[in-house]
């Protein structure tokens, strides 16, 4: 069986939830049950080659990439393929500390590369590395908070760099880490913003919901044209989208009627759904919004060889709306009351059942790099881990292309 490679991208943010970097994650197949050097080398090289293939400029958008390195990859020439200004190499906790390792780190540092210690624990053997690394990452999920504070105090005298708390999953843990002097943070708390179920649907969201309902039941374009023309903000956004590369049109669009005629109702519905789910431009939501768009696209791509066009569109909506609740800060049940959806979409979103559920679960597993679930859910839809990996890469590229057409983050339509 060939090696199955999965690339994921998880944000690292600062104390104000501003994006600082991405960790690029590799996951092996179930066939790699032991830590063979060849598999470790392929893992490290896989991330580096995928980064080169996709291009660090669009993949990172000017941010750093944190990449895990095992001993074999660290000692290879592959690490020099990526420009040093783009990357921070994480030394895995499984790498033995030796004079050879120290000499290699010094050599790469002279070339401009930076390093982090991953899953740091207070072992004396790591002390010689502390003056040579720029970041120390602490797994705050696997240890008691008091242990984290103890580690911080223990290494301060030998370490002048910055700390990253990883696997931060709650507001309480984030605040404890921030108050302890940790500068950067990584974990599902940031990718999945806190759900504030008491928030109501905002007026702007109601306008979009109303238009989506009209599109669903539209028999005459004038039913959509007039409400759009009465909403100047939506009209401007629609015209900008219709004239962007994201819409794929080859001629200039000047009127609402032209836009509606050329992009079609299905594309309009998708655009409104994107606008509805991703329109709140807070720093944390911007990260989750990208995840939502990418998740929708993965579901759609996986459905292309298996389902008809309508089902593919519904898969996109399923993936996109799977994060609607935290993004919009509105309970999903309340949202579905205002926006009736096909039964298959509701089953997947609310009950995790039905024909679309395996696609959604597969997209979520791909984000997490959970190769056990990837293998399971890929089998459920008669797919392969290789196809999932390709869909993940294509979806990341598609999301970046879509969002590159957007205006600055101060505009609510950043994903329109």
């Amino acid at each position: 069986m060939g090696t199955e490679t999965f690339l994921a991208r998880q944000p690292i943010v600062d104390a104000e939830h501003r994006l600082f970097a991405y960790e690029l994650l590799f996951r092996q197949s179930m066939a790699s049950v032991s830590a063979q050097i060849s598999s470790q080398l392929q893992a490290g090289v896989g991330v580096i080659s995928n980064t080169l293939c996709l291009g660090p400029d669009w993949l990172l958008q000017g941010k750093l990439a944190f990449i895990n390195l095992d001993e074999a990859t660290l000692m290879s020439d592959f690490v020099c393929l990526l420009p040093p200004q783009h990357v921070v190499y994480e030394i895995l906790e499984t790498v033995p500390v030796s004079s050879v390792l120290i000499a290699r780190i010094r050599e790469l540092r002279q070339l401009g590369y930076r390093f982090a210690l991953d899953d740091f624990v207070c072992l004396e053997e790591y002390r010689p590395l502390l003056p040579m690394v720029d970041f120390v990452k602490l797994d705050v999920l696997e240890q008691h908070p008091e242990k984290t504070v103890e580690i911080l105090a223990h290494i301060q005298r030998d370490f002048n760099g910055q700390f990253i708390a990883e696997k931060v999953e709650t507001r309480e843990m984030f605040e404890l880490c921030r108050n302890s002097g940790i500068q950067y943070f990584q974990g599902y708390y940031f990718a999945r913003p806190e759900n504030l179920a008491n928030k109501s649907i905002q007026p702007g969201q109601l306008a979009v919901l109303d238009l989506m309902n009209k599109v669903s039941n539209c028999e005459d374009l004038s039913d959509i044209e007039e409400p759009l023309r009465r909403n100047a903000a939506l009209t401007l956004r629609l015209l900008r989208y219709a004239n962007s590369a994201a819409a794929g049109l080859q001629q200039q669009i000047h009127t609402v009627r032209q836009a509606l005629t050329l992009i079609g109702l299905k594309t309009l519905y998708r655009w409104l759904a994107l606008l509805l789910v991703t329109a709140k431009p807070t720093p944390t939501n911007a990260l989750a919004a990208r995840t939502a768009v990418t998740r929708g696209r993965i579901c759609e791509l996986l459905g292309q060889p298996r389902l008809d066009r309508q089902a593919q569109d519904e898969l996109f909506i399923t993936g996109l709306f799977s994060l609607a609740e935290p993004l919009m800060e509105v309970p999903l049940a309340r949202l579905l009351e205002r926006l009736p959806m096909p039964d298959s979409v509701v089953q997947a979103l609310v009950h995790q059942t039905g024909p679309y559920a395996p696609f959604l679960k597969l997209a979520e597993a791909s984000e997490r790099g959970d190769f056990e679930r990837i293998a399971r859910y890929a089998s459920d839809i008669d797919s392969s881990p290789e196809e999932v990996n390709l869909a993940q890469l294509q979806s990341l590229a598609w999301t970046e292309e879509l969002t590159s057409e957007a205006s600055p983050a101060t505009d609510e339509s950043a994903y329109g």
Side-chain angles (χ1 to χ4, degrees), residues 6 302 306 362 374 378-379 381-389:
F6 306 94
L302 292 173
R306 297 170 176 86
L362 190 50
I374 288 171
S379 176
I381 65 168
D382 195 25
S383 179
S384 67
E386 289 84 356
E387 182 186 8
V388 177
N389 180 45

Side-chain angles (χ1 to χ4, degrees), residues 2-23:
T3 302
E4 301 158 356
T5 305
F6 306 94
L7 179 65
R9 186 179 68 169
Q10 185 175 27
I12 299 172
V13 301
D14 66 12
E16 302 300 323
H17 294 203
R18 292 184 296 250
L19 181 63
F20 169 67
Y22 292 105
E23 180 174 358

